[in-house]
Amino acid sequence: MNLLTIGLKEDMKMELAGFPRTDCILGRVALEHKHMYRVWTEEGELLCEVSGKFSFEASSREDFPAVGDWVFLSARKEEGAGTIHAILPRFSKFSRKAAGNTAEEQIIAANVDTVFLVNSLNDDLNVRRIERYLLLAWESGANPVIVLSKADLCDDVASKVAEVEAVALGVPIIPVSAEVNEGLDSLKPYLGEGKTVALLGSSGVGKSTLTNTLLGEKKQAVKEIREDDDKGRHTTTHRELVLLPGGTVLIDTPGMRELQLWESHDGLAEAFSDIDELGDSCRFRDCRHADEPGCAVWEAIRSGILDEDRLASYNKLQKELAYIERKADKRAQSEEKKHWKAIHKQVKAKKR
């Protein structure tokens, strides 16, 4: 397998020359199992695990390989296996807060050039959810593109696109229908050899159907939308790399019923640049946009330039990020204590 075809950048290739182990090769994580990884290499696909040293030095979930990562590994070709020793620096990563009460990052996809944010053009279209996806997409370092699927089920595509444009400032919006093969040519500029695209969206918005259409074969199972609530049924159960004809690496992902934010302050500024720009004209520099005197944001709302619901969404996301930051800080302190406790135990054991 040609590594350049599956997304290797020239500067990444140079990293291998400086790696201290001469028996290592480069590979890309295609699929993540529990504690095991399927990795694409020039030697073929290998089933790999991380080394003991790697596992010991990893302090959080983020430190372990994710789908799309480039890794250094020692291969055991005769076994079809290998051991991962290190991860190359990621140039982009799409993350969310992991499920549960702990403040922990879950990487959905790494080293992605373009994120296709897939939303269906039916009664399930939700601009507030699109804002949330955009926030994390901007934070990831990849370029977002909004793909509005199931256009054949929508009677007024233009009005829906205008609705999304109001919250997706400057982001390309492409209505498509995989069923009747409409709009797919507009996706071609983002596809091509060496490029990596991730499909992200809620359950049942048509990601698997789009994957099958781009692939030219039925790889992913698909189901019809439910008639009672117009929502699709969840089909994809794991994240994995799919190599499309022409060389594009596609990362299909399970639908996310819940998309909790993860350290996305820069992404917030990008996703809500209209509110930030209006805020520069407020009378007070520390204006909270709570209808204070001279608030340019509220003046825009009264003038019909800005939707009040968008400001409410902005405030809600700000509060959510502040809460995550507080929890993450406490977790970091706890992890630091655990790390040093483990080191002290090792030192004592050696002295004995």
Side-chain angles (χ1 to χ4, degrees), residues 54-55 57-64 103-105 331 335:
F54 186 113
S55 185
E57 292 179 346
S59 60
S60 68
R61 191 169 178 173
E62 179 197 7
D63 296 328
F64 284 90
E104 192 170 35
E105 178 181 8
R331 179 179 171 276
E335 290 295 333

Side-chain angles (χ1 to χ4, degrees), residues 16 19-25 73-75 85:
L16 184 59
F19 195 63
R21 289 187 59 142
T22 57
D23 62 332
C24 282
I25 61 173
L73 62 98
S74 51
H85 299 282

Side-chain angles (χ1 to χ4, degrees), residues 113-131:
D113 298 300
T114 304
V115 177
F116 283 173
L117 303 175
V118 186
N119 298 265
S120 56
L121 276 169
N122 54 19
D123 291 343
D124 193 36
L125 183 66
N126 185 324
V127 294
R128 300 284 83 89
R129 186 167 58 220
I130 290 173
E131 286 175 336

Side-chain angles (χ1 to χ4, degrees), residues 18 21 47 70 76 78 84 86 166 176 193-194 224 233 289:
R21 289 187 59 142
L47 184 62
W70 287 95
R76 301 188 299 280
E78 66 285 352
I84 296 171
V176 304
E193 186 173 295
E224 299 299 321
R233 295 182 174 93
H289 314 317

